[in-house]
Amino acid sequence: MPSHHHHHHRSTPLLFSATSATSSSSQSFLSKLLLLLTLLPLSLAALAFILQWRGGGESDPTIATSGAYSRWAPRGSHHEVFPGMETFSSLFPKSHSSSDCINLGRSSSPSLPYYGDWKFGFEANIRPKICITTSTSAGLEQILPWMFYHKVIGVTTFFLFVEGHAASPNVSKVLESIPGVKVIYRTKELEEQQAKSRIWNETWLSSFFYKPCNYELFVKQSLNMEMAIVMARDAGMDWILHLDTDELIHPAGAREYSLRQLLLDVPSNVDMVIFPNYESSVEREDIKDPFTEVSMFKKNFDHLPKDTYFGMYKESTRGNPNYFLTYGNGKAAARIQDHLRPNGAHRWHNYMKTPNEIKLEEAAVLHYTYAKFSDLTSRRDRCGCKPTKDDVKRCFMLEFDRSAFIIASTATEEEMLNWYREHVVWGDKDLRLKLLRKGILTRIYAPTAIIQGLRESGVFSSVISNAPSTISKDKFLASIDSSNSSRVVSLASHASRKIGRSRQHQPSVRKVLEIEASAAHEEAAVPPLSPPAAWTMTTLEQ
């Protein structure tokens, strides 16, 4: 009995040690398994990191560092990433000011997965540095896609002369928050400064002075361009373009879809580069967003065989006054250099020499004109002109603008729509196909793809939501000043007061200026011009 009892006592610890051994071996197995499961993904991640670091991830533009040349860089433009983007390391500076605190990467949409933390800013080593200047009264729905499209193709800096809706606090505070954007309001101070411009004493723009509407806009654009040249030089820019917010540069013919690459390849002795314009050719009357809904464009005379242009002229114009609805003489980029001056909205010039210019053979400026039915009435509401044949000549330089203004001012909504269908919309499928095959009409989808991608990635909504909710008192007053009236003081009358001229003397002043012009052999500013008409064929052939 005692022995039995003793045996029982000895067996208990044995049993206990056996169970504890089993549990400890299972625990060590589990811990080994956990260790393996932890180490395996870690080692795979490390391997992936090493491969990327050694160059395996070069296809992702966001991880290119300033030490590694990215394959997105235009050749010769110094280790650069996608045109207009910064390298990953320098994306977000530690100190944020209100103008550079936008995180464009806050996107729930996966359509541009590598978009991540790109910031459309500019860096010191990007060459050439390109800026665009514009005079606009548009809203964010037009300005943001226009601006970011040009950032994607390599434009770093924007000088926006705003008035009307564009100058309202809700719009301007967003524009001011974007890196590389300078907003200039049409204040009394600005007009006083521009009234002192040497342009008023010169002859090349004098035929546009003291006239309403489009002529006044043309003078205003030229004065704004003059100021933008100074700002561009101060910002260290290499090239300047003047574009309206209904125009997009199409850098065809470059080694990649990059305006920077295109201008990089321009010989150094060239001062000015002309982009012939293509005109939007809409296929429906209910377009709301031309940049993403229009894919068909009418090519410029400069980009077509002459026999095709003249041979198809009648079918291309469809009873309209000219081959294009509006201008046909393109837009130009100028190299920033001493004595540069505007030469109207379409060209640049130089006070000391005749610029050496080239016309691009493939690249173009896409002009989205009358692309929305509402463009008819918006032009009508912009000008205080009477809808008579004589009065519209004082207001509009181009024949189609004159006809459109008269229709918009006198016709019923239904008549207007019928007129728009007949003169603007390309509803005839057979004619479309015929002209597409001849190359007069062409399909261009790049802007649609780029702007859709930007919109889906949340860029525009992010810029708007990240803009500061308030603006400074000075800027608020400036924006109110500019948005309340597009003409706080009429430039022409202001200038005439400044220079001590009264309105009664203007005709004689103009005569004096005209005499001076002939004496100085100064070329007049280049206005918006229509393309060659069919009757000019014989003169061209001679």
Side-chain angles (χ1 to χ4, degrees):
M1 187 73 182
S3 65
H4 173 76
H5 185 74
H6 181 67
H7 178 75
H8 175 76
H9 272 287
R10 270 171 53 199
S11 71
T12 313
L14 280 172
L15 192 73
F16 176 73
S17 65
T19 48
S20 69
T22 317
S23 69
S24 68
S25 69
S26 68
Q27 270 179 347
S28 75
F29 173 72
L30 274 171
S31 61
K32 278 175 185 164
L33 186 67
L34 281 169
L35 187 68
L36 179 73
L37 289 171
T38 311
L39 286 175
L40 188 67
L42 277 174
S43 56
L44 284 170
L47 180 69
F49 176 76
I50 289 160
L51 284 172
Q52 280 200 329
W53 183 67
R54 289 182 62 193
E58 250 181 38
S59 63
D60 181 348
T62 59
I63 58 159
T65 61
S66 55
Y69 282 73
S70 164
R71 70 185 182 87
W72 296 100
R75 293 159 188 80
S77 70
H78 310 277
H79 46 282
E80 180 30 33
V81 199
F82 219 147
M85 320 301 173
E86 287 190 328
T87 54
F88 190 71
S89 57
S90 64
L91 281 178
F92 293 101
K94 302 225 170 11
S95 63
H96 286 294
S97 73
S98 63
S99 68
D100 66 4
C101 63
I102 295 133
N103 174 1
L104 294 181
R106 287 186 198 163
S107 165
S108 54
S109 166
S111 76
L112 281 181
Y114 50 78
Y115 181 76
D117 281 324
W118 279 354
K119 177 184 176 189
F120 291 80
F122 62 86
E123 230 180 309
N125 63 355
I126 295 173
R127 278 286 180 268
K129 279 189 171 181
I130 308 161
C131 67
I132 291 178
T133 181
T134 191
S135 304
T136 185
S137 58
L140 290 175
E141 74 290 337
Q142 185 168 337
I143 298 174
L144 289 181
W146 171 86
M147 185 190 295
F148 280 90
Y149 168 85
H150 286 109
K151 279 178 176 274
V152 167
I153 65 167
V155 178
T156 56
T157 307
F158 297 82
F159 300 113
L160 309 178
F161 290 82
V162 296
E163 51 186 280
H165 185 44
S168 65
N170 283 344
V171 175
S172 56
K173 74 178 182 192
V174 174
L175 299 176
E176 288 195 354
S177 73
I178 302 166
V181 173
K182 169 89 177 130
V183 180
I184 304 100
Y185 299 93
R186 180 149 288 283
T187 58
K188 288 191 173 67
E189 292 71 38
L190 178 81
E191 298 208 325
E192 280 167 12
Q193 192 182 339
Q194 290 189 343
K196 295 172 191 161
S197 164
R198 64 183 285 182
I199 286 176
W200 293 102
N201 297 326
E202 291 166 356
T203 54
W204 55 271
L205 198 62
S206 58
S207 63
F208 296 87
F209 294 163
Y210 318 119
K211 288 181 181 177
C213 203
N214 274 15
Y215 292 89
E216 184 183 14
L217 174 67
F218 199 73
V219 172
K220 204 184 280 184
Q221 285 174 326
S222 300
L223 291 162
N224 291 345
M225 288 163 79
E226 183 184 50
M227 291 184 83
I229 290 168
V230 177
M231 291 189 275
R233 178 181 278 122
D234 290 347
M237 295 291 124
D238 300 305
W239 289 91
I240 185 167
L241 286 104
H242 174 258
L243 281 187
D244 295 328
T245 49
D246 62 354
E247 296 169 330
L248 301 177
I249 290 288
H250 174 54
R255 278 177 283 190
E256 54 199 73
Y257 203 71
S258 157
L259 179 60
R260 195 179 305 134
Q261 180 67 63
L262 192 85
L263 294 176
L264 202 61
D265 294 337
V266 171
S268 59
N269 66 331
V270 171
D271 305 308
M272 184 162 70
V273 173
I274 296 162
F275 292 81
N277 60 298
Y278 290 7
E279 195 170 76
S280 60
S281 301
V282 300
E283 297 165 79
R284 310 189 320 270
E285 74 249 13
D286 59 349
I287 282 170
K288 297 282 176 281
D289 179 30
F291 290 158
T292 54
E293 291 179 67
V294 175
S295 66
M296 195 170 76
F297 295 86
K298 193 188 270 189
K299 287 177 81 168
N300 195 286
F301 168 80
D302 290 320
H303 286 185
L304 288 168
K306 302 299 165 260
D307 56 344
T308 305
Y309 178 84
F310 291 113
M312 304 296 292
Y313 189 87
K314 198 173 188 309
E315 286 170 284
S316 307
T317 48
R318 301 179 305 159
N320 284 322
N322 291 295
Y323 173 78
F324 277 152
L325 301 180
T326 48
Y327 75 87
N329 52 330
K331 287 287 177 85
R335 211 185 277 281
I336 298 287
Q337 49 188 260
D338 292 342
H339 315 295
L340 181 66
R341 71 159 171 86
N343 196 28
H346 297 259
R347 294 289 186 274
W348 305 86
H349 212 282
N350 193 296
Y351 282 114
M352 304 307 281
K353 64 176 181 180
T354 301
N356 181 18
E357 62 179 59
I358 59 166
K359 195 171 271 181
L360 295 169
E361 295 183 339
E362 287 184 76
V365 55
L366 306 177
H367 185 206
Y368 294 78
T369 188
Y370 290 99
K372 299 194 299 241
F373 176 60
S374 61
D375 290 346
L376 273 181
T377 46
S378 66
R379 283 169 195 249
R380 174 195 67 196
D381 301 334
R382 215 165 53 191
C383 291
C385 278
K386 295 186 195 79
T388 61
K389 279 213 154 59
D390 287 337
D391 214 41
V392 290
K393 282 182 184 163
R394 289 192 317 117
C395 288
F396 300 99
M397 298 180 212
L398 297 168
E399 200 55 54
F400 189 85
D401 285 334
R402 294 169 183 173
S403 313
F405 180 79
I406 290 173
I407 290 289
S409 308
T410 57
T412 64
E413 188 78 9
E414 195 184 345
E415 287 168 333
M416 268 168 62
L417 193 55
N418 286 334
W419 186 90
Y420 185 76
R421 283 188 189 125
E422 191 185 330
H423 293 269
V424 181
V425 182
W426 289 80
D428 182 340
K429 187 167 181 262
D430 293 336
L431 180 60
R432 280 203 311 257
L433 275 174
K434 185 177 183 179
L435 295 179
L436 278 162
R437 285 189 183 130
K438 287 278 185 185
I440 284 171
L441 292 174
T442 187
R443 294 276 177 196
I444 297 172
Y445 288 98
T448 299
I450 288 170
I451 290 168
Q452 285 281 40
L454 289 167
R455 181 170 286 129
E456 287 171 25
S457 71
V459 178
F460 308 140
S461 52
S462 171
V463 168
I464 293 165
S465 63
N466 284 301
S469 51
T470 54
I471 53 174
S472 71
K473 188 184 168 197
D474 290 352
K475 286 191 176 143
F476 177 75
L477 291 172
S479 68
I480 290 296
D481 204 5
S482 301
S483 58
N484 275 355
S485 157
S486 62
R487 296 189 273 276
V488 182
V489 180
S490 165
L491 268 176
S493 63
H494 200 98
S496 61
R497 277 210 310 278
K498 278 304 233 196
I499 301 162
R501 299 171 181 159
S502 69
R503 288 254 168 194
Q504 289 84 337
H505 296 133
Q506 279 161 20
S508 59
V509 166
R510 202 172 302 134
K511 275 186 192 127
V512 171
L513 290 173
E514 279 160 13
I515 294 161
E516 283 173 16
S518 57
H521 300 295
E522 207 173 50
E523 239 179 281
V526 178
L529 298 171
S530 292
W535 53 264
T536 59
M537 180 163 66
T538 47
T539 32
L540 279 169
E541 280 171 352
Q542 285 163 9

